[in-house]
Amino acid sequence: GALGTGYKASTVANRRLYVGNVRYIDPVSKKLTTANDTILKSNVNAFDTFIFENRIDVEVNDGDDIIALESLGPKLLEFKRNHLYIINIARDIEFLEATLEYKGCEKDYHIVRGEGFISWFNKFGFYLYDGKQVKNLLLDKMVQEKLNWDSYYDVNNVISYDPEQKTILILNKNQRAISYDIKSSGLSVRTKATTTNDITNIVTSNDGDLLWFEKISGTNVSLRKFKIAPSKLDTNNIDEIALKTKEYTFGKPSVDKKIISVYLSYKNGDGVFLRGFNETGEEEILATLDGSSETNFKTLHIPIRKAKTEFVNKKAFDKIKGFGLRFSGSDVATDFEINDMQIIFREKSVKW
């Protein structure tokens, strides 16, 4: 094209290149024109050839620029700041399939393509589109937020996908990493996953590694690689660890329960204390973990009846509505890792 022409968003689908937020020479006025809400599509197998008549206009002149374009099967996703438009491109004539308010995004690095899905985030939520529906990954089955998103969203956050661990990852400049496990639908937060330096967007290498450049000082940058698997930022023992599960009501928040035992699969637990807590916040130490330089997981069985001999409150966890686990400690062994946790309980009979 002529000098100054181009586009800011693009994706390939149906052997065509779709480009959005374009600058072109107007065929009538012959002047350079910006169409920030127009999509042009190339000819089939001619990814560098565009005809102005081959365009898709959805909600033009709405004051909302196209930020990014993505494709998933026969669907074209047009991301604007405030809206997401899903366009069906299965045939030569495209049609608008859905208009979703508050599902747009601020930056193109807030979107990632995975295995059969597109995921993105904005200041209102964290989403996944599988070709059929849009899911808010922050909501549980009871449509309650899993975490306070206002505390984690930042326009400088970047998103990526780990194909080996099947995990969507959002990195925050404040050392936080928000990860969503596709297999278990679990959402977790790591508070010291990276440094506080400025980083670029993340790319996934052919080997499946998550790579980015990090500004060290001045003009000095360093190539970084992220691992979803537990790891440390340095080689020293962990000064302090704090991990707390949610309060589990086991599907019946109004029914009294008695905790029978706890199973924990872990390794390298030196310096870690395992505590149990109930719905009122009352805690008791269940066990002191051990082990360092271990390569295999081991299972710890904690019968509550036996652990009660050391409890301050001998009747703790006999009649509770909810129960959870908390890990704490200092000078914790390198590579402490939890593999699995199980809680055995019995419902108390209701007396009339």
Side-chain angles (χ1 to χ4, degrees):
L3 182 65
T5 59
Y7 51 86
K8 292 185 177 181
S10 66
T11 189
V12 175
N14 298 339
R15 302 300 302 167
R16 297 177 185 267
L17 177 64
Y18 292 82
V19 298
N21 203 335
V22 299
R23 298 185 72 186
Y24 63 96
I25 300 297
D26 186 275
V28 177
S29 66
K30 307 301 181 182
K31 293 182 178 180
L32 189 63
T33 304
T34 299
N36 49 25
D37 48 15
T38 292
I39 299 173
L40 299 181
K41 64 177 182 179
S42 73
N43 295 330
V44 176
N45 292 326
F47 304 109
D48 60 348
T49 303
F50 298 91
I51 301 174
F52 187 70
E53 286 72 21
N54 288 345
R55 69 182 186 273
I56 305 172
D57 290 321
V58 179
E59 296 293 337
V60 296
N61 299 322
D62 60 354
D64 206 2
D65 295 352
I66 295 176
I67 302 299
L69 295 176
E70 284 290 350
S71 59
L72 187 63
K75 308 293 177 65
L76 176 67
L77 280 66
E78 178 185 342
F79 288 92
K80 292 189 174 184
R81 283 188 173 84
N82 298 314
H83 295 80
L84 168 63
Y85 300 104
I86 301 177
I87 305 167
N88 192 307
I89 56 173
R91 300 181 179 180
D92 289 338
I93 300 177
E94 302 84 3
F95 64 89
L96 181 63
E97 192 168 284
T99 300
L100 304 178
E101 295 184 359
Y102 311 114
K103 295 297 189 296
C105 64
E106 289 284 331
K107 304 292 182 180
D108 56 359
Y109 49 81
H110 293 176
I111 308 168
V112 68
R113 174 192 294 273
E115 300 173 79
F117 67 86
I118 304 294
S119 182
W120 72 98
F121 65 89
N122 59 26
K123 61 183 178 181
F124 303 112
F126 178 19
Y127 308 100
L128 181 146
Y129 177 68
D130 59 7
K132 297 180 180 179
Q133 61 178 332
V134 175
K135 304 176 183 177
N136 190 337
L137 304 183
L138 299 178
L139 302 180
D140 60 18
K141 293 181 179 179
M142 303 300 292
V143 199
Q144 300 295 317
E145 280 199 341
K146 299 178 182 178
L147 53 83
N148 182 11
W149 187 241
D150 289 340
S151 301
Y152 298 96
Y153 173 77
D154 189 280
V155 72
N156 293 315
N157 289 358
V158 294
I159 190 171
S160 64
Y161 174 66
D162 187 323
E164 181 178 355
Q165 299 293 329
K166 304 294 187 294
T167 300
I168 305 169
L169 178 75
I170 298 175
L171 289 188
N172 181 286
K173 187 179 177 181
N174 295 325
Q175 296 184 277
R176 294 170 174 171
I178 300 97
S179 60
Y180 179 82
D181 188 281
I182 299 293
K183 305 182 294 298
S184 65
S185 299
L187 190 69
S188 62
V189 177
R190 292 166 64 175
T191 57
K192 292 188 178 180
T194 63
T195 67
T196 58
N197 297 327
D198 292 330
I199 65 174
T200 64
N201 59 305
I202 305 174
V203 297
T204 304
S205 70
N206 292 335
D207 295 328
D209 295 328
L210 306 183
L211 306 174
W212 71 89
F213 282 105
E214 180 178 302
K215 183 178 180 181
I216 305 302
S217 62
T219 58
N220 296 326
V221 296
S222 179
L223 182 65
R224 298 295 192 189
K225 179 172 73 172
F226 188 87
K227 290 185 178 180
I228 297 294
S231 60
K232 287 170 50 61
L233 295 179
D234 54 50
T235 58
N236 299 320
N237 279 7
I238 306 170
D239 293 333
E240 183 179 4
I241 184 173
L243 186 154
K244 186 176 182 179
T245 70
K246 69 177 184 178
E247 176 194 325
Y248 298 102
T249 59
F250 310 105
K252 296 182 178 181
S254 62
V255 176
D256 290 329
K257 302 102 178 168
K258 180 178 181 178
I259 304 302
I260 306 301
S261 60
V262 173
Y263 288 87
L264 178 69
S265 175
Y266 74 98
K267 62 182 178 181
N268 304 319
D270 269 356
V272 178
F273 293 95
L274 172 61
R275 291 175 169 84
F277 66 90
N278 61 18
E279 72 278 3
T280 65
E282 180 184 2
E283 288 189 344
E284 294 286 355
I285 295 179
L286 302 180
T288 300
L289 309 188
D290 59 18
S292 62
S293 303
E294 296 175 330
T295 57
N296 297 319
F297 291 100
K298 57 189 177 185
T299 300
L300 174 65
H301 175 213
I302 308 170
I304 298 299
R305 177 179 295 179
K306 182 178 179 180
K308 279 183 178 181
T309 59
E310 303 295 332
F311 285 1
V312 175
N313 178 7
K314 305 301 181 182
K315 295 185 178 181
F317 314 133
D318 276 353
K319 188 178 180 181
I320 60 176
K321 296 289 195 302
F323 181 77
L325 299 173
R326 184 171 76 88
F327 299 82
S328 66
S330 59
D331 195 27
V332 177
T334 302
D335 298 329
F336 166 58
E337 187 174 348
I338 299 170
N339 182 54
D340 186 43
M341 296 179 289
Q342 296 184 34
I343 301 169
I344 309 300
F345 72 98
R346 185 177 70 240
E347 294 182 8
K348 305 283 284 187
S349 58
V350 179
K351 298 181 179 181
W352 298 89

Coordinates of all heavy atoms in Angstrom, one line a residue, residues 38 48 55 71 109 164 184 190 192 231 235 252 265 284 289:
T38 N -13.2 -0.3 11.4 CA -13.5 -1.0 10.2 C -12.5 -2.2 10.1 O -11.4 -2.2 10.5 CB -13.3 -0.1 9.0 OG1 -14.3 0.9 9.0 CG2 -13.4 -0.9 7.7
D48 N -1.8 -10.2 1.2 CA -1.4 -8.8 1.1 C -2.2 -8.0 0.2 O -1.9 -6.9 -0.2 CB 0.1 -8.8 0.7 CG 0.3 -9.5 -0.7 OD1 -0.7 -10.1 -1.2 OD2 1.4 -9.3 -1.3
R55 N -15.1 -5.4 3.2 CA -14.9 -4.9 4.6 C -16.1 -5.3 5.4 O -17.2 -5.6 4.9 CB -14.7 -3.4 4.6 CG -16.0 -2.6 4.2 CD -15.7 -1.1 4.2 NE -16.8 -0.3 4.0 CZ -17.3 0.1 2.9 NH1 -16.7 -0.3 1.8 NH2 -18.4 0.8 2.7
S71 N -9.5 -15.1 16.0 CA -10.4 -16.1 15.3 C -10.4 -17.4 16.0 O -9.3 -17.8 16.5 CB -10.0 -16.2 13.8 OG -8.7 -16.7 13.7
Y109 N -2.2 -7.1 24.4 CA -1.5 -8.1 25.2 C -2.3 -8.6 26.4 O -1.8 -9.2 27.3 CB -0.1 -7.6 25.7 CG -0.1 -6.2 26.3 CD1 -0.4 -6.0 27.6 CD2 0.3 -5.1 25.6 CE1 -0.4 -4.8 28.2 CE2 0.4 -3.8 26.1 CZ 0.0 -3.7 27.5 OH 0.0 -2.4 28.0
E164 N 1.9 -26.9 28.3 CA 2.3 -28.2 29.0 C 1.5 -28.4 30.3 O 0.9 -29.4 30.5 CB 3.8 -28.1 29.4 CG 4.3 -29.4 30.1 CD 5.7 -29.3 30.4 OE1 6.4 -28.4 29.9 OE2 6.2 -30.3 31.0
S184 N -8.6 -28.4 36.2 CA -9.4 -28.4 37.4 C -10.3 -27.2 37.6 O -11.1 -27.2 38.6 CB -8.4 -28.5 38.6 OG -7.7 -27.3 38.7
R190 N -0.1 -16.4 43.1 CA 1.2 -16.4 43.8 C 1.7 -15.0 44.0 O 1.7 -14.2 43.0 CB 2.2 -17.2 42.9 CG 1.9 -18.7 42.8 CD 2.6 -19.4 41.6 NE 4.0 -19.4 41.8 CZ 4.9 -20.0 41.0 NH1 4.4 -20.7 40.0 NH2 6.2 -20.0 41.3
K192 N 4.7 -13.8 45.0 CA 6.1 -13.4 44.7 C 6.6 -14.3 43.6 O 7.6 -15.0 43.7 CB 7.0 -13.6 45.9 CG 6.7 -12.6 47.0 CD 7.7 -12.6 48.1 CE 7.4 -11.5 49.2 NZ 8.4 -11.5 50.3
S231 N 8.7 -23.0 42.2 CA 10.1 -22.7 42.2 C 10.4 -21.5 43.1 O 9.5 -20.8 43.5 CB 10.6 -22.4 40.7 OG 9.9 -21.3 40.2
T235 N 18.2 -19.0 45.9 CA 18.6 -20.3 46.4 C 18.6 -20.4 47.9 O 18.9 -21.4 48.5 CB 20.1 -20.6 45.9 OG1 20.9 -19.6 46.4 CG2 20.1 -20.7 44.4
K252 N -22.8 -28.1 52.4 CA -23.9 -27.9 53.3 C -23.5 -26.9 54.4 O -23.1 -27.3 55.5 CB -24.4 -29.3 53.9 CG -24.9 -30.2 52.8 CD -25.4 -31.5 53.5 CE -25.9 -32.5 52.5 NZ -26.4 -33.8 53.1
S265 N -0.4 -34.7 51.2 CA 0.8 -35.2 50.4 C 1.7 -34.1 50.1 O 1.3 -33.1 49.5 CB 0.2 -35.8 49.1 OG 1.3 -36.2 48.2
E284 N -6.1 -24.4 65.4 CA -5.3 -25.4 66.2 C -4.2 -25.9 65.3 O -4.4 -26.1 64.1 CB -6.2 -26.5 66.8 CG -7.2 -26.1 67.8 CD -6.6 -25.8 69.2 OE1 -5.4 -25.9 69.3 OE2 -7.4 -25.3 70.0
L289 N 5.5 -30.2 59.9 CA 6.0 -30.9 58.7 C 7.5 -31.1 58.8 O 8.2 -30.3 59.5 CB 5.5 -30.2 57.4 CG 4.0 -29.9 57.3 CD1 3.7 -29.4 55.9 CD2 3.2 -31.1 57.6

